Amino acid sequence: MAGANDTPAGAQAQAIDYRTVDADAHVNPPPTFWSDYLPAHLQDLAPKIEHGDDVDYVVFEGRKKKLHLMSDQAGRRGEEFKVEGKLSDMRGGGWRPDERLEDMDKDGIDAAVLFGGGPLGTQNVELFIESYRAYNRWLADFCAHDRRRLCGVAYLPLRDVDESVAMLHEMKKLGFNAANIPAFPQGQQAMKTTAAPGATAAMSAQTAALTGDPNSERRFSDPEFDRFWAAAVDLDMTLTIHLGARMPRFHDPKKFLPDLVMSKFAMAEPIAIMLLDGVFMRFPKLRFVSVESGVGWFAFMANYMDRTWEKQRFWTKSPLTEMPSFYMDRNVYGSFIHDRIGVELRHAPGGRNIMWSSDYPHSETTFPDSHKAIARDFVGVPEHDLREIVCNRARRLFKVGA
């Protein structure tokens, strides 16, 4: 596994003229990494791989599942997508840093902000929480191969505020400047969700963790969470949510495409809760990113909230002292893969803090033709605006190369 000592001598001292920074790319470590990164007393509980003739199997806690590949389609044409397969089918750039840099060079990407990994889908709460830490340690090692170009985002649970504040401090010490949280608070049994009947069974542990519990009585605007927002501000950590408000059912081809559309727009709900309930008013320096959601709807959302707030703020006793679009422009950011409408609305209130991404190596990725996609969606866009959206904004927000 890559570590800081794997970096070629002097490589990290060389300056990079950043031109393209991918605001949302992914790592995809194989299930075998858990046994290397979990605490020693939990390593025997890690998933194991059984090799088959056509597919490999992940064996964990008495369950045996085919290795799922929908998050690992980079380099394949649509007609070549494989839903299930073997470890050898996984693209090396998803988990080998040297191969990742080769793919980035091929695609003309100077640096990438990296999401992905953990936790494990277990009802063992200690193992569940420690799997977040294990994934984050693995990601820190991956990025240490070349911190100028590989910028990781830690993953955190948010079921207990004290626990999450402590983990936020741990992640800062590991070198992270951003952390991903679920779209809604998690319950104490964090693997349980009321997102839909059988949701945990239908979703992977990672997607369940990205969601939290949309129907919980707890809201991120509740005072109990203020210590977490304060810690993020004090540590200068950007916070992200990642398609967690409505997860596509990847295993069901009849439902996948409509789900994928709704997975974008559903991200408006956690943003609206944070904004309209006054979290951004109370924490003006909090940076909150909606990742992979698309951004064309951001300007509509801001405009709609403004007009609605003007009439409804009195009887609802709104705490806001400014129009909702003010907080959208100050605190909320978003990333997109292909969104010409969002680019056209880049100067509209609510639509200003937008960033391009490739989504490598997922099935929506623009790899290996990212610059063709950029050229298509940015026709007529001035160079300064282009550089802000495809490079500079993400570089500042995530402290790329810092």
Side-chain angles (χ1 to χ4, degrees), residues 270-281:
I271 294 172
I273 290 171
M274 296 282 288
L275 192 156
L276 293 171
D277 287 358
V279 175
F280 299 138
M281 184 186 71

Side-chain angles (χ1 to χ4, degrees), residues 93-239:
W95 57 286
R96 294 188 183 106
D98 53 344
E99 293 185 36
R100 181 50 164 268
L101 295 176
E102 290 174 4
D103 276 354
M104 289 167 62
D105 290 342
K106 183 184 299 183
D107 205 24
I109 305 298
D110 297 310
V113 181
L114 301 173
F115 297 83
L120 284 170
T122 175
Q123 297 301 324
N124 179 328
V125 175
E126 181 190 13
L127 180 60
F128 181 75
I129 296 302
E130 287 301 326
S131 69
Y132 279 95
R133 291 187 168 100
Y135 164 73
N136 291 331
R137 288 191 291 268
W138 177 89
L139 182 59
D141 281 355
F142 183 94
C143 293
H145 190 76
D146 192 341
R147 293 189 182 91
R148 304 166 309 158
R149 304 187 65 189
L150 303 172
C151 178
V153 176
Y155 270 48
L156 294 182
L158 201 39
R159 58 175 193 143
D160 176 271
V161 174
D162 288 337
E163 174 184 74
S164 296
V165 168
M167 292 178 74
L168 198 64
H169 281 268
E170 292 172 15
M171 296 310 104
K172 188 68 175 184
K173 291 179 181 177
L174 275 178
F176 292 104
N177 291 307
N180 193 82
I181 61 173
F184 303 96
Q186 293 165 306
Q188 283 298 313
Q189 297 296 322
M191 270 302 295
K192 293 184 178 180
T193 174
T194 55
T200 301
M203 296 189 295
S204 70
Q206 182 185 344
T207 53
L210 294 177
T211 300
D213 187 352
N215 296 324
S216 171
E217 292 298 318
R218 305 162 78 206
R219 290 161 71 91
F220 278 152
S221 54
D222 292 345
E224 69 166 303
F225 292 101
D226 279 0
R227 286 183 294 111
F228 183 77
W229 313 131
V233 171
D234 290 345
L235 294 170
D236 197 21
M237 295 276 278
T238 295
L239 297 179

